[in-house]
Amino acid sequence: MQEDLIRWKRFREGEAAAFESIIRGEFRALFEYGTRFIHDRDTLNDCIYDLFTSLWDRRKYLADTDQIRPYLLKSLRNRLIKEKERANHLTGLDSWQEQAEPAENAESRIITSEITAQRKRRISSVLVTLTPRQREIIHLKFFENLSNEQISHVLDISRPAVSNLLSQALKLFRDKWQATISTLFFLITF
């Protein structure tokens, strides 16, 4: 947190290296978060580019922050909502992805990719049953590793609301996951 505060202050003072450090450190997280909302990668890149351009232009007027990533995630989220209103490109949070670990040989890669594809289908089938807000909060918690306080800042809701929403989302996910596993077990045994 202290490091973020120092980088942010240096950026606000106009230090290009600090700004470049923020871009390099946060771009990937912003892009991954944005792909949960928008499928058009060019539009997403434009939104992120516009966000950073706007930050540089308004740097003197920005408040201090010791949590750069949540600040940028919230800013991107707001920008994407505006983009939806403007261009109607925004879609639901339906493109969850897992990354397969690289395997050592071709056979291992094929088996790994089949297992990964199967997991993705199973996880996706469970995630689609959750509301977009529940999917978003799961992404922020488990893919972005944000605390409940940071999530409350990004989503503009209270910390207790974050806890409740996360608890409900995880309970629904577990229940639906168990139902999926039970169904698969039943089909395999009979």
Side-chain angles (χ1 to χ4, degrees), residues 1 4 33 65-74 77 137 140-141 144-159 162:
M1 287 187 174
D4 275 0
Y33 181 63
T65 184
D66 61 351
Q67 298 179 353
I68 294 174
R69 181 167 290 170
Y71 179 88
L72 294 177
L73 288 171
K74 181 177 183 174
R77 183 176 192 274
I137 203 163
L140 291 171
K141 184 69 174 180
E144 296 300 331
N145 295 321
L146 297 183
S147 68
N148 287 4
E149 184 176 329
Q150 292 169 324
I151 293 171
S152 73
H153 178 71
V154 171
L155 299 180
D156 271 337
I157 59 177
S158 68
R159 283 184 55 188
V162 169

Side-chain angles (χ1 to χ4, degrees), residues 35-61:
T35 59
R36 307 301 181 223
F37 291 102
I38 196 166
H39 294 292
D40 183 4
R41 293 179 179 268
D42 292 332
T43 302
L44 178 57
N45 274 327
D46 289 345
C47 285
I48 294 171
Y49 176 78
D50 290 345
L51 171 64
F52 282 122
T53 302
S54 173
L55 286 173
W56 183 256
D57 291 342
R58 298 176 320 125
R59 69 186 178 276
K60 295 177 183 174
Y61 308 106

